[in-house]
Amino acid sequence: MKALRKFLDKKKPLFEKGGKFAKLQSTFDAFDTFLFVPDHTSKTGTHIKDAIDLKRTMSVVVLALIPSLLFGMYNIGYQHFLSVGETAALMDMFVYGLIKVLPIIVVSYVVGLGIEFAFAQMRGHAVNEGFLVSGMLIPLVMPVEAPLWMVAVSTAFAVVIGKEVFGGTGMNIWNPALVARAFFFFAYPSKMSGDAVWIAEKADTFSGATPLAHAATLVDANGEIAKSIFEQHLSNAWDMFIGLIPGSIGETSTLAILIGAVILIATGIGSWRIMLSVFVGGYAMGAIFNLIGANPYMELIPAWQHLIMGGFAFGAVFMATDPVSATQTTRGKYIYGFLIGFLAVLIRVMNAGFPEAMMLAILLMNTFAPLIDHYVVQGNVKRRLKRVKVKA
Amino acid sequence: MSNKEPLFSTKNKKLLTNPLGSDNPITVQVLGICSALAVTAKLEPAVVMTISVMAVLALANVIVSLIRNTIPSRIRIIVQLVVVAALVILVDQVLKAFAYDVSKQLSVFVGLIITNCIIMGRLEAFALGNKPLPAFLDGIGNAAGYGLILVIVAFFRELLGSGTLYGFKVIPQAFYDMGYQNNGLMILPPMALVVVGIIIWVQRSKDKSLIESN
């Protein structure tokens, strides 16, 4: 460690003003502060001293994503061997998944960080660490068979249009990882939906549709057919909870996501208010549909099952809680979260074209988050003004 | 009229060239965005739309400029609309007669030229206060500036979204065999907005005087 510090200190003057590589100052700074706690101090005014800066915050989130990632790798192997009808050892499944997932992660990080560094250099900013999390989230919401160049294009779009145009980390109005996924979904729909992309190298005869896709077919099915679809594909809630179902790499296992949620809540980084209200909102809409029961989708899927299907849990824990694009006020968080869950289930059931509605619901509410905050703050101001008048 | 201006005095030239760059109707005046989103999925409709707008805008500018001193200002919008509507109907009929396919593609957007903000904007801002010749040049210039952006946007959208340019296939089949796919999002209107946004971004980072201070 000491040798590393010494090495960095020795090189530092090269990157400072007037040094040989002064242009690369922010790149150097990024690596330096990634490795060591930064020694920058504020020169004037009051400031809060806290060990947990942006980099540490981001590292915790990445840590919380690890269970989902590891389980995702295992599940990819599991689904593959299941589809071709072979039995394999646990380790084989995991290694198979690892080989499949690793390139996607590498592409996401290389492209995203490359653009991020380039922008920081051009603008003379310090490199922001926001992409550490986005770069991990992007692979986790991709189908395993996503072509790498499409991942690269989506990532580039997300970083440039989703983030840099607004001024970089902390200024974006949408969650960049979801922008990447939305771009992918609309640009290359054949690689993001259907039943061919969720299982790696699957046998042709094996249906690889996600439970959500099966559920979407319920809308037009009736009576016996609907029941048989449900029995065959949607009745095994335990598998959905554990995550042994086809789906995006990191989204399948509600269990692994909950472990991540515990980490986020325990460290105070993710907002439990948002997570809770997303689940409540989803359940509420599901329950309403159960009451209406206009088609088999509404009738047969119990409200709680919506919460463990598809990307609902993943979105609730990792996407909706993104501190930049979410609401900031306490009351706003409840409204924001509730509407995300509510809309996600609503879109899912009402529009078979968008089975994975969590992404759309979160992006939509991201857009409205500042508005919600505005009215919460204004409401508060009004209430307090009234109090003053009564006393006077 | 002793101090007759030459046809291409600097002032008149500016009327033609400014809208192409620093006074572009789409990227600087931010007018006519709606049709820029609607007709730019392919190059051909974009070009036809440009020509139609150019014809309507130039002629409307001239006509309104000619009668500018006789229009009572309280009903000027109605008068302008009548002039524009008459011209748009002419253009629509000509397209239907000579370019039926494109006219089909543009469908309702030809008729909607009436509501194209650029036209009303230029009539209000320029034709009402200037002589016919400068008004004519202003119309041509603004329509060209509008068309320039339309064509740039349509170029990228058609190339990336359909793999063609002006209907001709430009991305070789070998690419598709290797796994390349057309970007479906490019065909959708939101992407036109993003491309226009990128053009505005590039333009303003080159010409700092365009950046509004607030």
Side-chain angles (χ1 to χ4, degrees):
Chain A
M1 277 306 240
K2 267 205 174 135
L4 188 64
R5 182 69 258 171
K6 256 191 194 153
F7 174 77
L8 284 172
D9 282 339
K10 213 173 105 195
K11 294 288 171 207
K12 205 168 184 177
L14 281 177
F15 291 95
E16 268 157 12
K17 239 187 185 161
K20 214 174 177 180
F21 305 114
K23 273 193 181 150
L24 294 173
Q25 204 273 330
S26 57
T27 307
F28 176 82
D29 189 62
F31 281 112
D32 191 353
T33 53
F34 183 73
L35 295 167
F36 293 97
V37 175
D39 56 355
H40 312 191
T41 48
S42 321
K43 299 275 190 299
T44 54
T46 348
H47 54 275
I48 298 162
K49 201 170 170 188
D50 195 338
I52 190 142
D53 61 356
L54 193 54
K55 275 196 184 77
R56 300 329 120 174
T57 311
M58 294 297 177
S59 310
V60 173
V61 182
V62 172
L63 197 72
L65 283 167
I66 297 289
S68 299
L69 177 68
L70 293 182
F71 188 89
M73 289 175 175
Y74 163 72
N75 186 40
I76 286 164
Y78 174 84
Q79 296 292 338
H80 166 71
F81 288 114
L82 184 71
S83 86
V84 296
E86 287 172 27
T87 44
L90 192 134
M91 217 40 215
D92 288 346
M93 295 182 187
F94 182 77
V95 170
Y96 181 87
L98 181 74
I99 294 169
K100 282 280 166 192
V101 175
L102 213 52
I104 303 182
I105 297 178
V106 171
V107 165
S108 153
Y109 269 115
V110 167
V111 172
L113 285 178
I115 297 175
E116 194 105 341
F117 272 85
F119 267 95
Q121 248 25 292
M122 259 157 42
R123 293 179 170 167
H125 290 176
V127 176
N128 273 312
E129 333 22 51
F131 194 75
L132 284 182
V133 169
S134 305
M136 185 57 92
L137 283 172
I138 290 173
L140 289 181
V141 294
M142 293 286 166
V144 58
E145 287 283 274
L148 292 179
W149 72 269
M150 290 182 186
V151 177
V153 173
S154 310
T155 308
F157 181 86
V159 175
V160 176
I161 302 297
K163 207 156 110 181
E164 291 303 337
V165 282
F166 297 106
T169 305
M171 317 288 263
N172 45 302
I173 49 177
W174 300 298
N175 183 324
L178 277 181
V179 173
R181 195 181 197 275
F183 179 85
F184 197 121
F185 179 82
F186 286 106
Y188 309 110
S190 65
K191 295 287 177 190
M192 182 62 106
S193 42
D195 67 350
V197 296
W198 308 107
I199 301 178
E201 292 166 4
K202 78 177 179 69
D204 286 341
T205 49
F206 191 84
S207 161
T210 60
L212 274 177
H214 284 301
T217 59
L218 281 178
V219 175
D220 298 321
N222 46 15
E224 288 305 303
I225 304 172
K227 258 204 192 100
S228 77
I229 293 176
F230 182 77
E231 287 298 318
Q232 216 177 334
H233 301 291
L234 295 160
S235 55
N236 197 341
W238 184 244
D239 271 2
M240 289 185 200
F241 180 73
I242 297 294
L244 296 173
I245 46 170
S248 297
I249 293 166
E251 71 171 19
T252 57
S253 172
T254 311
L255 181 66
I257 293 164
L258 286 180
I259 297 174
V262 169
I263 297 176
L264 286 183
I265 294 173
T267 51
I269 284 170
S271 158
W272 62 267
R273 292 187 175 90
I274 295 180
M275 294 184 203
L276 181 74
S277 47
V278 173
F279 283 114
V280 170
Y283 187 84
M285 191 68 231
I288 293 175
F289 277 137
N290 282 165
L291 278 180
I292 300 173
N295 63 38
Y297 197 160
M298 299 182 190
E299 229 174 317
L300 290 175
I301 307 282
W304 54 267
Q305 198 165 335
H306 276 292
L307 312 183
I308 54 174
M309 280 200 299
F312 194 96
F314 193 83
V317 172
F318 295 112
M319 299 293 200
T321 55
D322 170 13
V324 177
S325 52
T327 43
Q328 311 292 324
T329 51
T330 306
R331 189 182 304 229
K333 280 177 181 162
Y334 289 118
I335 301 171
Y336 164 86
F338 184 84
L339 284 175
I340 288 179
F342 196 84
L343 286 171
V345 175
L346 180 73
I347 302 172
R348 249 183 206 181
V349 177
M350 299 305 285
N351 189 339
F354 299 123
E356 189 38 276
M358 196 58 185
M359 161 183 87
L360 300 172
I362 297 176
L363 284 175
L364 185 69
M365 289 320 293
N366 278 171
T367 315
F368 284 114
L371 189 73
I372 296 173
D373 274 342
H374 174 80
Y375 279 109
V376 169
V377 171
Q378 290 306 315
N380 205 17
V381 169
K382 238 186 219 163
R383 229 182 0 266
R384 300 189 72 154
L385 275 178
K386 235 186 228 160
R387 218 182 297 161
V388 171
K389 267 182 205 155
V390 170
K391 275 186 183 167
Chain B
M1 281 290 214
S2 54
N3 53 350
K4 203 169 175 243
E5 273 186 81
L7 177 58
F8 287 107
S9 64
T10 3
K11 211 174 104 204
N12 283 351
K13 253 192 221 156
K14 275 223 171 108
L15 288 177
L16 275 177
T17 54
N18 270 358
L20 292 179
S22 62
D23 196 24
N24 190 286
I26 292 185
T27 63
V28 181
Q29 303 174 37
V30 198
L31 297 171
I33 296 287
C34 0
S35 57
L37 303 190
V39 301
T40 52
K42 295 249 161 68
L43 261 176
E44 198 183 3
V47 169
V48 174
M49 184 71 177
T50 306
I51 297 170
S52 315
V53 168
M54 194 177 279
V56 173
L57 183 52
L59 291 175
N61 258 2
V62 170
I63 296 172
V64 170
S65 171
L66 280 171
I67 58 175
R68 68 181 188 279
N69 292 326
T70 54
I71 308 175
S73 77
R74 284 174 66 184
I75 59 160
R76 66 181 193 285
I77 302 277
I78 300 171
V79 174
Q80 288 164 14
L81 272 179
V82 170
V83 172
V84 176
L87 289 166
V88 168
I89 290 167
L90 278 179
V91 167
D92 192 25
Q93 294 300 320
V94 169
L95 280 183
K96 275 195 180 133
F98 297 104
Y100 188 68
D101 288 342
V102 184
S103 153
K104 271 260 160 177
Q105 273 185 49
L106 288 172
S107 66
V108 67
F109 290 102
V110 177
L112 284 179
I113 293 178
I114 302 173
T115 57
N116 191 322
C117 330
I118 295 176
I119 295 183
M120 289 303 279
R122 291 329 290 172
L123 289 178
E124 277 284 302
F126 199 90
L128 275 178
N130 284 283
K131 289 185 180 154
L133 179 66
F136 176 76
L137 293 176
D138 180 76
I140 298 280
N142 274 287
Y146 166 80
L148 180 71
I149 302 298
L150 242 60
V151 168
I152 295 176
V153 175
F155 174 83
F156 286 111
R157 285 184 70 192
E158 187 173 358
L159 180 66
L160 300 174
S162 315
T164 57
L165 280 180
Y166 219 88
F168 296 107
K169 223 170 169 188
V170 285
I171 292 180
Q173 188 58 38
F175 275 46
Y176 290 101
D177 296 340
M178 272 156 55
Y180 177 79
Q181 275 194 10
N182 288 326
N183 189 325
L185 188 58
M186 275 287 172
I187 311 275
L188 303 174
M191 216 48 197
L193 202 64
V194 171
V195 178
V196 170
I198 293 173
I199 295 174
I200 293 180
W201 184 15
V202 170
Q203 194 187 12
R204 287 182 193 210
S205 45
K206 280 204 168 142
D207 184 354
K208 301 276 186 217
S209 67
L210 292 178
I211 299 172
E212 299 93 346
S213 55
N214 42 359

